[in-house]
Amino acid sequence: MTSLTFPDCAIPISNRVHWIGAFDPLLRSFDLILKTANGTTYNAYLVRGQQGVAIIDTVKEEFAEEFFKRLESVANYDEITLIVLNHLEPDHTGALPELLKRAPQAYLYISHQAQSMLKGLLKLDEKQLQFKPVTTGDHVDLGDCTLEFFHTPYLHWPDTQCTYLREEKLLFSGDVFGCHFCDARLFNDLVGDFRFSFDYYYAHIMRPFKKYVLDALTLLEPLALDLIAPTHGPVLRDQPRRYLQHYRTLSTPRKEVVDKTLLIFYISAYGNTARMAHAIYQGASTVTGLRVSIFDLQGGEVEPFVDLIEEADGIVLGTPTINGDAVKPIWDLLSSLAVVNLKGKVGAAFGSYGWTGEAVNMIESRLRGLKLRVPVPGLRIKLIPTEEELATCQTFGQQLAETMTQKQAVRELDFSQI
Amino acid sequence: MSKAQLTFSDIDVTVTVPAGVRVIEISEKVGSGIVYGCREGDCGTCLMQVLEGWNNLSSPSVLEDKILRELMAGKHYRLACQAQVLGDVVVKPA
Ligand SMILES: Cc1cc2nc3c(=O)[nH]c(=O)nc-3n(C[C@H](O)[C@H](O)[C@H](O)COP(=O)(O)O)c2cc1C
Ligand code: FES
Ligand SMILES: [Fe+2]
Ligand SMILES: [Fe+2]
């Protein structure tokens, strides 16, 4: 439990802005995929302009009462002219249906991509909602101040946007720059050490979208910043720009090699799939402009392999078929890849089998499901590979390597060949 | 049955296909970089750019049109899980 008491009224964070979120100190697991050692906060904000009050995001449904109490401490419902939703995830839209009942005049400001999600998520009829889709370059006037919108898709939902209050140099960043960390003192210069929580949140939530993070940073970096107000964890008022720099560092590829890289992972009980792996390795290594590596999954941990795969251009997975399936270490590796972006990488599968040989096809489907492209059909060899079959493995490796280095000639195929 | 040529410019592969097939049916088999999510015209993951022959694709359904608009896609962009090949086209991942 926590020893600090949580204030139950709104907390001012700048001239025009109050924090009206909720504290959830007892939460230990979030979205099934994240842990938190000391809970989280759902940060919602209220902006008071001369011509209207804006609410930026809400809270998880169970915390609605806490949110309304804080809201009521600084504004009346009939003053609310608009509600900005930086993304529609339920931890920030849970209190929205009730808020709309209390402030039916309010207009929703959401991204274009959020439109089709409104209905599915809020169980509200699209036609009854007053909403305006916005994107970079759009803004809304509150009299003495304006909210400007920035299209920052996939951070971490497709509909994510950020909202900037220029007059106060304040960025409402949504989950970007957020973390699961609950501390009643709220501001980054007052709370406990949240560096681990910040990096952990990034690693699990933003990491798959590094490319989009870099695009978003390019949009956000030119802004003057006194304060970043994310939807979870501390409000960043001390050196806010540091967090942008940190995100840039975390999202920039570490790769030093200029060549393309191909990683071969295999697992083998009797050495047959291992022999295939080494022949593929030899074949691929004959092609210039490609750096090839080979790893036995039995000798490694999943985490560092995930790091390697994130920066590789292609992966080849070798597994025998055991009881009609690929073996668990291969599936464990594949199921750990959800935190990295695999789109467009080359994938391939191979393996030795006894009588049915399902594993290779299963891995190929999984690779496609993970959005890799699979340009060379998988290679299966019955039991112990012969010299001739090992030569086939070499050719398979070479073909893959050529596809990756674009050394393969322009191809013309007929429907019947594929 | 009439035939058409479907070219994936990202991998320099041209496939002769019977008219009416959807791009998705071919692109995965030849390993183009076009990738898929829902496979039913709802998520926009399979957005592709049509470099040539954009009149040779079936016209977008109401649903596809809606997704393309939400993605703010230009007029030469289509969803690969929806578009059917009716004549020669050249496509690549968006
Ligand atoms: C962190 C996170 C990532 C998600 N990623 C996806 C996704 O890639 N594709 C998708 O269709 N839905 C995605 N969703 C949406 C969930 O599938 C959706 O919210 C679902 O209704 C949750 O079901 P549940 O209530 O049974 O957990 C994601 C949700 C979260 C919280
Ligand atoms: S794969 Fe979802 S729209 Fe085509
Ligand atoms: Fe979120
Ligand atoms: Fe969130």
Side-chain angles (χ1 to χ4, degrees), chain A residues 31-33 89 156-157 205:
Chain A
D31 275 1
L32 309 175
I33 57 170
E89 198 174 354
H156 62 129
W157 270 26
I205 298 290

Side-chain angles (χ1 to χ4, degrees), chain B residues 35-46 67 79-82:
Chain B
V35 293
Y36 299 88
C38 69
R39 295 167 187 273
E40 52 183 34
D42 195 26
C43 70
T45 306
C46 64
I67 300 295
L79 299 180
C81 72
Q82 298 298 299

Side-chain angles (χ1 to χ4, degrees), chain A residues 116 371 373 411-413 415, chain B residues 11-12 14-16 31 70:
Chain A
S116 60
K371 305 191 173 55
R373 54 193 198 90
R411 281 183 301 159
E412 293 197 10
L413 304 168
F415 191 58
Chain B
I11 51 169
D12 284 334
T14 299
V15 188
T16 306
E70 283 193 9

Side-chain angles (χ1 to χ4, degrees), chain B residues 27-69:
Chain B
S27 84
E28 284 200 313
K29 296 207 179 104
V30 298
S32 161
I34 302 171
V35 293
Y36 299 88
C38 69
R39 295 167 187 273
E40 52 183 34
D42 195 26
C43 70
T45 306
C46 64
L47 190 70
M48 64 175 182
Q49 189 178 354
V50 186
L51 299 169
E52 279 170 43
W54 53 284
N55 281 324
N56 292 337
L57 291 170
S58 58
S59 40
S61 64
V62 177
L63 178 67
E64 181 178 346
D65 220 37
K66 184 167 173 230
I67 300 295
L68 290 172
R69 259 185 289 121

Side-chain angles (χ1 to χ4, degrees), chain A residues 62-119:
Chain A
E62 298 118 87
F63 295 85
E65 275 322 302
E66 211 179 311
F67 163 75
F68 288 123
K69 221 160 103 185
R70 294 202 171 92
L71 192 163
E72 287 162 18
S73 74
V74 283
N76 295 321
Y77 294 109
D78 60 9
E79 294 180 292
I80 299 172
T81 49
L82 65 110
I83 300 165
V84 175
L85 301 173
N86 281 331
H87 76 305
L88 297 195
E89 198 174 354
D91 54 333
H92 311 294
T93 52
L96 183 72
E98 180 59 29
L99 178 60
L100 286 172
K101 279 187 198 147
R102 299 184 188 193
Q105 73 286 354
Y107 245 87
L108 293 179
Y109 282 75
I110 56 175
S111 71
H112 285 261
Q113 269 126 313
Q115 294 173 90
S116 60
M117 296 169 92
L118 265 183
K119 200 170 160 199

Side-chain angles (χ1 to χ4, degrees), chain A residues 336-357:
Chain A
S336 305
L337 296 176
V339 295
V340 298
N341 177 26
L342 301 169
K343 195 166 161 179
K345 292 188 198 295
V346 164
F350 65 93
S352 169
Y353 70 102
W355 46 95
T356 49

Side-chain angles (χ1 to χ4, degrees), chain A residues 192-244:
Chain A
D193 191 337
F194 66 101
R195 285 174 299 179
F196 164 76
S197 309
F198 190 91
D199 286 1
Y200 177 86
Y201 190 86
Y202 175 91
H204 287 80
I205 298 290
M206 300 299 163
R207 182 178 177 186
F209 308 107
K210 284 183 174 181
K211 187 170 86 60
Y212 292 98
V213 172
L214 292 172
D215 290 346
L217 288 171
T218 302
L219 271 182
L220 302 176
E221 277 163 349
L223 302 176
L225 280 180
D226 280 347
L227 208 84
I228 298 175
T231 44
H232 298 285
V235 172
L236 310 170
R237 68 177 177 190
D238 179 44
Q239 302 183 61
R241 195 160 289 282
R242 263 196 351 204
Y243 299 91
L244 273 72

